[in-house]
Amino acid sequence: MTKKTRELTNLSPKITDIQKKIIDQYAAANKTTKKQQIVLVGSSTTEIFPIETMQTENDLGLDYKIYNRGVRAMTTADLLKHMNTLIFDLEPSKVFINIGSNDMGFNISETELLSNYDEILTQIQTRLPHAKIYAMAYYPINTADDFGEEKQEHGKLFEYRSNKKYNAMSAKIKKIATQHGV
C-alpha cells in the first residue's frame, strides 16, 4: 500500500504487512505457473473468489488455468506498484481487472483513480500486446445490513462508498477501457 493511500485511509500499518505476505506468496507461486493463461487481478473481492480451489477440486472443463491475484485493500496505485508480480510475471493471454473500489472507499480523487486505471491498461497493452483485457464493473454493495461493525464504523465504512458512485465510476472506466479498445 502506498504511503498516500495509508494516510488517506487511516488503515492500520499491519495491512501493508498482510499485503506484502500475499504478494510474496504470489511471487513464489508465479515461478511454477503456466504462461498464456488467465489472471484475475484486483482487491479483496477478487482475492476471496476461490477460482484456483474450484479448478483443483472440480473438473470445470476449462481449457485455461485461471490464476487469482487479488490483494485486500489494494488501490489502483498499489496495483501499478505490483504489476510485475500480479500480472506480467504470468504472461497471461487474458486479464480480468476489478480494481478501484478501494480508491473510492478511501476517498482518493476521481482524477487519480481514472489516471491510474488508464496507466494500468496502457502498461498491460504495451507489455502484453496480444493479451485480451476485461475491465470489470463494480459489484453492487449492501449499505443497509449490519456486518458486525460498531455503529459509528458502519457510517464510516459507507461514507464514500455507494452504488450510485460505483455505477458512475463504472461508466467512466468503461469509457477509458473503450478508448483502449478493451
Side-chain angles (χ1 to χ4, degrees), residues 40-175:
L40 307 178
V41 65
S43 57
S44 60
T45 308
T46 303
E47 181 187 353
I48 64 173
F49 184 63
I51 189 63
E52 291 185 50
T53 302
M54 291 169 63
Q55 290 177 109
T56 303
E57 295 176 0
N58 304 291
D59 179 8
L60 301 178
L62 302 175
D63 294 331
Y64 289 91
K65 171 84 173 144
I66 302 173
Y67 297 103
N68 185 328
R69 294 298 181 261
V71 180
R72 65 196 71 176
M74 181 163 276
T75 63
T76 55
D78 297 324
L79 178 55
L80 282 168
K81 183 178 174 182
H82 298 287
M83 298 264 293
N84 285 332
T85 301
L86 301 176
I87 300 173
F88 299 131
D89 290 352
L90 296 162
E91 299 175 25
S93 62
K94 294 180 171 82
V95 180
F96 289 81
I97 304 169
N98 188 332
I99 193 74
S101 60
N102 287 324
D103 295 62
M104 287 182 277
F106 300 157
N107 200 29
I108 292 171
S109 78
E110 179 179 305
T111 301
E112 183 175 347
L113 187 164
L114 294 173
S115 175
N116 287 345
Y117 211 102
D118 183 66
E119 180 61 23
I120 289 165
L121 295 177
T122 297
Q123 285 191 30
I124 295 170
Q125 289 181 315
T126 300
R127 293 195 49 192
L128 301 169
H130 300 293
K132 178 75 173 143
I133 304 168
Y134 300 87
M136 299 169 64
Y138 300 112
Y139 302 113
I141 56 174
N142 179 346
T143 60
D145 287 340
D146 175 358
F147 296 101
E149 70 276 359
E150 298 290 328
K151 193 169 198 150
Q152 69 275 13
E153 287 178 310
H154 186 83
K156 185 73 174 163
L157 184 63
F158 298 109
E159 184 175 359
Y160 303 111
R161 298 173 196 252
S162 71
N163 287 315
K164 183 178 178 180
K165 187 173 184 179
Y166 279 18
N167 289 338
M169 191 59 68
S170 287
K172 290 175 183 179
I173 287 174
K174 182 178 181 180
K175 183 177 178 182

Side-chain angles (χ1 to χ4, degrees), residues 18-33:
I18 294 167
Q19 287 176 320
K20 183 180 180 330
K21 182 179 177 183
I22 292 167
I23 292 167
D24 288 348
Q25 289 172 340
Y26 289 154
N30 287 351
K31 294 176 182 173
T32 60
T33 59

